[in-house]
Structures are given as C-alpha cells and as structure tokens.
Amino acid sequence: MTRYVAFLRAINVAGHARVEMSRLCNVFTRAGCVNAQTYIQSGNVIFETEDDCAELFQKIRTNVCRLTGEQSSVMFRSARQIHALVNGAPFKAFDADRTLKLYAVCLGGKPRSVPAFPWADSKERLEAIGIKGLDVLVVSRRKPSGFYGFPNSFVEKKLGAPATSRNWSTIKKIEEILKVERLKVKVGK
C-alpha cells in the first residue's frame, strides 16, 4: 500500500463548498481508497491505495466535484514527497521569526515556466523563496492593515497552474501523522 495526501482547494472557506469531513472520507473510500482520514476542516485527506494512481485520482476528482457541486481542484502528494519536503527544512532561515506566516503552495500540474527566485508581491507582502517538486514555498509578512497576504492567486498567476495553499504548520502536522502511521505499520499494530 502507498500512502498519499490529497489537498482540496476551496473547501470550507467563505464563498465555497461546505463539506463535512466524514462525507469527504466516504468519497475517498467509495473511490477505492483505504484508511481515509482527514486532518482539520480545510480538505486534507490522508489515504492508502494499491490502485493505479492516475485512474484513482481522476475518480476522486470526479466524486469530489459531485459532492461539492462545483469544480474543485485536488492536488495529490505521496507520503514520500511530504517527508522529503519537510525534511528538506525549506523555511529554516525563517523558523525563528514568529511574525511571519509560512506556506507551501501545492501546484496541480507543471508550471508553464518558473522565474528565478525570489519573487515578491509588495502590496500583499508575499515572497516566493523557492520550489520543491510541485510545491512553491512562500513567506507572508503582515500588511499595514494587520492582515497577511494569502499566496494562492499570487502563485497561480505567476506560474499559470492551479494551486492550493497550506500553512507550513499544517504540512508539518500531516507529516507527523504520516510518520506515526508508518511506525504503526512497521510494528504491526
């Protein structure tokens, strides 16, 4: 069995589909996934499969669209990709600064081109510092309004690919869940 994480775009945020996480897990289970579980309400689903990924991923996308009633983007990452991203410590230079928000922006496909990093949006106070695979790393600083810029449209416009953003703490927590599950499998629990 291979473990994956699905990151759904625009789930349980203002102006978009409201979805109970139990119903979302059922969509994944009906598609053929095993041990589907969610993490927080923003559309993060951890699951296992032995199936052909391309076919399964398409089935999941179709079923999610039926559930939400709108075109919902779903980005998939293997547990191995999540582990490599977190273990690469891409935000090491920023970890101590508690005034920042750090994001991994998961792309749904290859970008049309990737400009040299860093690139920034001074109005939104966003700075893309790099890319690892299909995950763009973004630092967000507090704006004069007191709010932080959100990187999704910033990255989509720059790279021409659909994306969904996750706070770095969410990515690290998902990686911890994946580690714990991997240990359970190794000791046969």
Side-chain angles (χ1 to χ4, degrees), residues 5-37:
V5 181
F7 297 104
L8 284 73
R9 181 174 181 208
I11 296 291
N12 294 339
V13 294
H16 294 281
R18 290 268 179 230
V19 177
E20 292 177 23
M21 293 299 100
S22 60
R23 291 183 68 203
L24 187 58
C25 277
N26 287 338
V27 163
F28 279 72
T29 301
R30 282 194 315 270
C33 301
V34 178
N35 299 322
Q37 67 181 74

Short mmCIF file of all heavy atoms in Angstrom, two decimals, residues 5-37:
data_model
loop_
_atom_site.label_atom_id
_atom_site.label_comp_id
_atom_site.label_asym_id
_atom_site.label_seq_id
_atom_site.Cartn_x
_atom_site.Cartn_y
_atom_site.Cartn_z
N VAL A 5 -1.55 12.03 0.32
CA VAL A 5 -2.33 13.12 0.89
C VAL A 5 -2.97 13.85 -0.28
O VAL A 5 -2.32 14.17 -1.27
CB VAL A 5 -1.46 14.09 1.71
CG1 VAL A 5 -2.33 15.20 2.32
CG2 VAL A 5 -0.69 13.35 2.79
N ALA A 6 -4.27 14.10 -0.15
CA ALA A 6 -4.99 14.92 -1.13
C ALA A 6 -5.24 16.27 -0.47
O ALA A 6 -5.72 16.34 0.66
CB ALA A 6 -6.31 14.26 -1.51
N PHE A 7 -4.91 17.33 -1.18
CA PHE A 7 -5.16 18.69 -0.73
C PHE A 7 -6.25 19.27 -1.63
O PHE A 7 -6.01 19.46 -2.83
CB PHE A 7 -3.89 19.54 -0.81
CG PHE A 7 -2.78 19.06 0.08
CD1 PHE A 7 -1.69 18.37 -0.44
CD2 PHE A 7 -2.81 19.28 1.44
CE1 PHE A 7 -0.66 17.93 0.36
CE2 PHE A 7 -1.79 18.84 2.28
CZ PHE A 7 -0.71 18.17 1.73
N LEU A 8 -7.41 19.54 -1.08
CA LEU A 8 -8.52 20.06 -1.86
C LEU A 8 -8.53 21.58 -1.78
O LEU A 8 -8.31 22.15 -0.71
CB LEU A 8 -9.85 19.52 -1.34
CG LEU A 8 -10.15 18.07 -1.72
CD1 LEU A 8 -9.29 17.09 -0.95
CD2 LEU A 8 -11.62 17.78 -1.47
N ARG A 9 -8.81 22.19 -2.90
CA ARG A 9 -8.86 23.65 -2.96
C ARG A 9 -10.28 24.13 -2.68
O ARG A 9 -11.25 23.54 -3.14
CB ARG A 9 -8.43 24.12 -4.34
CG ARG A 9 -8.45 25.62 -4.45
CD ARG A 9 -7.90 26.07 -5.76
NE ARG A 9 -7.93 27.51 -5.77
CZ ARG A 9 -8.03 28.23 -6.84
NH1 ARG A 9 -8.08 27.64 -8.01
NH2 ARG A 9 -8.06 29.52 -6.77
N ALA A 10 -10.39 25.22 -1.93
CA ALA A 10 -11.65 25.93 -1.71
C ALA A 10 -12.71 25.06 -1.02
O ALA A 10 -13.86 25.04 -1.42
CB ALA A 10 -12.16 26.51 -3.01
N ILE A 11 -12.31 24.34 0.01
CA ILE A 11 -13.25 23.57 0.81
C ILE A 11 -13.40 24.25 2.17
O ILE A 11 -12.41 24.57 2.82
CB ILE A 11 -12.74 22.11 1.01
CG1 ILE A 11 -12.66 21.39 -0.32
CG2 ILE A 11 -13.60 21.35 2.01
CD1 ILE A 11 -14.00 21.08 -0.96
N ASN A 12 -14.61 24.50 2.57
CA ASN A 12 -14.94 25.10 3.86
C ASN A 12 -14.29 26.47 4.08
O ASN A 12 -13.86 26.80 5.17
CB ASN A 12 -14.60 24.14 5.02
CG ASN A 12 -15.48 22.90 4.98
OD1 ASN A 12 -16.55 22.91 4.39
ND2 ASN A 12 -15.04 21.84 5.60
N VAL A 13 -14.24 27.24 3.00
CA VAL A 13 -13.81 28.64 3.09
C VAL A 13 -14.94 29.50 2.53
O VAL A 13 -15.76 29.03 1.73
CB VAL A 13 -12.48 28.91 2.34
CG1 VAL A 13 -11.33 28.18 3.00
CG2 VAL A 13 -12.58 28.56 0.87
N ALA A 14 -14.98 30.73 2.93
CA ALA A 14 -16.07 31.63 2.54
C ALA A 14 -16.27 31.63 1.02
O ALA A 14 -15.32 31.72 0.26
CB ALA A 14 -15.76 33.04 3.02
N GLY A 15 -17.53 31.52 0.62
CA GLY A 15 -17.87 31.58 -0.79
C GLY A 15 -17.72 30.27 -1.54
O GLY A 15 -17.95 30.20 -2.74
N HIS A 16 -17.34 29.20 -0.83
CA HIS A 16 -17.14 27.90 -1.49
C HIS A 16 -17.87 26.81 -0.73
O HIS A 16 -18.51 27.05 0.29
CB HIS A 16 -15.64 27.58 -1.59
CG HIS A 16 -14.91 28.51 -2.50
ND1 HIS A 16 -14.94 28.39 -3.87
CD2 HIS A 16 -14.14 29.59 -2.24
CE1 HIS A 16 -14.22 29.35 -4.41
NE2 HIS A 16 -13.72 30.09 -3.44
N ALA A 17 -17.74 25.59 -1.21
CA ALA A 17 -18.47 24.45 -0.68
C ALA A 17 -18.18 24.19 0.79
O ALA A 17 -17.03 24.23 1.23
CB ALA A 17 -18.14 23.21 -1.50
N ARG A 18 -19.25 23.92 1.54
CA ARG A 18 -19.15 23.46 2.92
C ARG A 18 -19.30 21.95 2.88
O ARG A 18 -20.29 21.43 2.35
CB ARG A 18 -20.26 24.05 3.79
CG ARG A 18 -20.09 25.52 4.03
CD ARG A 18 -19.30 25.67 5.31
NE ARG A 18 -19.07 27.06 5.62
CZ ARG A 18 -17.89 27.55 5.91
NH1 ARG A 18 -16.85 26.77 5.95
NH2 ARG A 18 -17.73 28.81 6.19
N VAL A 19 -18.31 21.24 3.41
CA VAL A 19 -18.31 19.79 3.34
C VAL A 19 -17.96 19.21 4.70
O VAL A 19 -16.96 19.61 5.31
CB VAL A 19 -17.29 19.30 2.28
CG1 VAL A 19 -17.23 17.79 2.24
CG2 VAL A 19 -17.61 19.87 0.92
N GLU A 20 -18.76 18.26 5.16
CA GLU A 20 -18.43 17.53 6.38
C GLU A 20 -17.28 16.58 6.05
O GLU A 20 -17.28 15.91 5.02
CB GLU A 20 -19.63 16.72 6.86
CG GLU A 20 -20.77 17.57 7.35
CD GLU A 20 -21.97 16.71 7.75
OE1 GLU A 20 -21.78 15.50 8.05
OE2 GLU A 20 -23.08 17.26 7.72
N MET A 21 -16.32 16.49 6.95
CA MET A 21 -15.16 15.66 6.69
C MET A 21 -15.51 14.17 6.61
O MET A 21 -14.89 13.43 5.85
CB MET A 21 -14.07 15.91 7.74
CG MET A 21 -13.47 17.32 7.65
SD MET A 21 -12.65 17.71 6.08
CE MET A 21 -13.91 18.68 5.23
N SER A 22 -16.54 13.73 7.33
CA SER A 22 -16.96 12.33 7.23
C SER A 22 -17.47 12.02 5.83
O SER A 22 -17.20 10.95 5.28
CB SER A 22 -18.02 12.01 8.28
OG SER A 22 -19.17 12.82 8.09
N ARG A 23 -18.19 12.96 5.22
CA ARG A 23 -18.67 12.76 3.85
C ARG A 23 -17.50 12.75 2.86
O ARG A 23 -17.50 12.00 1.89
CB ARG A 23 -19.68 13.84 3.48
CG ARG A 23 -20.99 13.70 4.26
CD ARG A 23 -22.01 14.72 3.86
NE ARG A 23 -22.46 14.46 2.49
CZ ARG A 23 -22.99 15.38 1.71
NH1 ARG A 23 -23.13 16.62 2.13
NH2 ARG A 23 -23.39 15.08 0.49
N LEU A 24 -16.52 13.58 3.13
CA LEU A 24 -15.34 13.62 2.27
C LEU A 24 -14.59 12.29 2.34
O LEU A 24 -14.18 11.74 1.31
CB LEU A 24 -14.44 14.79 2.66
CG LEU A 24 -13.25 15.07 1.76
CD1 LEU A 24 -13.69 15.35 0.33
CD2 LEU A 24 -12.47 16.26 2.30
N CYS A 25 -14.43 11.75 3.53
CA CYS A 25 -13.78 10.43 3.69
C CYS A 25 -14.55 9.36 2.93
O CYS A 25 -13.94 8.49 2.28
CB CYS A 25 -13.68 10.05 5.16
SG CYS A 25 -12.28 10.77 6.00
N ASN A 26 -15.88 9.43 2.97
CA ASN A 26 -16.70 8.45 2.25
C ASN A 26 -16.45 8.53 0.74
O ASN A 26 -16.44 7.50 0.06
CB ASN A 26 -18.19 8.66 2.55
CG ASN A 26 -18.55 8.20 3.94
OD1 ASN A 26 -17.85 7.38 4.54
ND2 ASN A 26 -19.63 8.74 4.48
N VAL A 27 -16.27 9.73 0.21
CA VAL A 27 -15.97 9.89 -1.22
C VAL A 27 -14.68 9.15 -1.57
O VAL A 27 -14.61 8.44 -2.57
CB VAL A 27 -15.87 11.40 -1.59
CG1 VAL A 27 -15.17 11.60 -2.91
CG2 VAL A 27 -17.24 12.04 -1.60
N PHE A 28 -13.68 9.28 -0.73
CA PHE A 28 -12.40 8.62 -0.98
C PHE A 28 -12.52 7.11 -0.85
O PHE A 28 -11.97 6.36 -1.66
CB PHE A 28 -11.32 9.18 -0.05
CG PHE A 28 -10.73 10.47 -0.53
CD1 PHE A 28 -11.46 11.65 -0.47
CD2 PHE A 28 -9.46 10.51 -1.05
CE1 PHE A 28 -10.93 12.85 -0.93
CE2 PHE A 28 -8.91 11.70 -1.52
CZ PHE A 28 -9.65 12.87 -1.46
N THR A 29 -13.26 6.64 0.15
CA THR A 29 -13.46 5.21 0.35
C THR A 29 -14.21 4.60 -0.83
O THR A 29 -13.83 3.55 -1.34
CB THR A 29 -14.20 4.96 1.68
OG1 THR A 29 -13.41 5.52 2.74
CG2 THR A 29 -14.39 3.48 1.93
N ARG A 30 -15.28 5.27 -1.28
CA ARG A 30 -16.04 4.77 -2.43
C ARG A 30 -15.21 4.74 -3.71
O ARG A 30 -15.44 3.91 -4.59
CB ARG A 30 -17.31 5.61 -2.64
CG ARG A 30 -18.41 5.27 -1.66
CD ARG A 30 -19.76 5.84 -2.07
NE ARG A 30 -19.73 7.22 -2.51
CZ ARG A 30 -19.89 8.28 -1.75
NH1 ARG A 30 -20.08 8.13 -0.45
NH2 ARG A 30 -19.86 9.50 -2.26
N ALA A 31 -14.23 5.62 -3.80
CA ALA A 31 -13.36 5.64 -4.99
C ALA A 31 -12.36 4.49 -4.97
O ALA A 31 -11.73 4.20 -5.99
CB ALA A 31 -12.63 6.98 -5.08
N GLY A 32 -12.18 3.85 -3.81
CA GLY A 32 -11.26 2.72 -3.72
C GLY A 32 -10.10 2.94 -2.77
O GLY A 32 -9.19 2.10 -2.70
N CYS A 33 -10.11 4.03 -2.03
CA CYS A 33 -9.03 4.30 -1.07
C CYS A 33 -9.25 3.52 0.22
O CYS A 33 -10.38 3.18 0.57
CB CYS A 33 -8.98 5.79 -0.74
SG CYS A 33 -8.72 6.83 -2.18
N VAL A 34 -8.17 3.26 0.93
CA VAL A 34 -8.21 2.54 2.19
C VAL A 34 -7.73 3.49 3.30
O VAL A 34 -6.85 4.33 3.08
CB VAL A 34 -7.28 1.30 2.11
CG1 VAL A 34 -7.26 0.54 3.42
CG2 VAL A 34 -7.72 0.40 0.97
N ASN A 35 -8.31 3.33 4.49
CA ASN A 35 -7.90 4.11 5.67
C ASN A 35 -7.93 5.61 5.44
O ASN A 35 -7.02 6.33 5.87
CB ASN A 35 -6.51 3.67 6.16
CG ASN A 35 -6.49 2.22 6.58
OD1 ASN A 35 -7.44 1.71 7.15
ND2 ASN A 35 -5.40 1.53 6.28
N ALA A 36 -8.96 6.10 4.76
CA ALA A 36 -9.07 7.55 4.52
C ALA A 36 -9.36 8.27 5.82
O ALA A 36 -10.22 7.85 6.60
CB ALA A 36 -10.18 7.83 3.50
N GLN A 37 -8.62 9.33 6.07
CA GLN A 37 -8.83 10.17 7.25
C GLN A 37 -8.54 11.61 6.88
O GLN A 37 -7.73 11.88 6.00
CB GLN A 37 -7.96 9.72 8.42
CG GLN A 37 -6.46 9.95 8.19
CD GLN A 37 -5.61 9.47 9.35
OE1 GLN A 37 -5.43 8.29 9.54
NE2 GLN A 37 -5.08 10.40 10.12
#
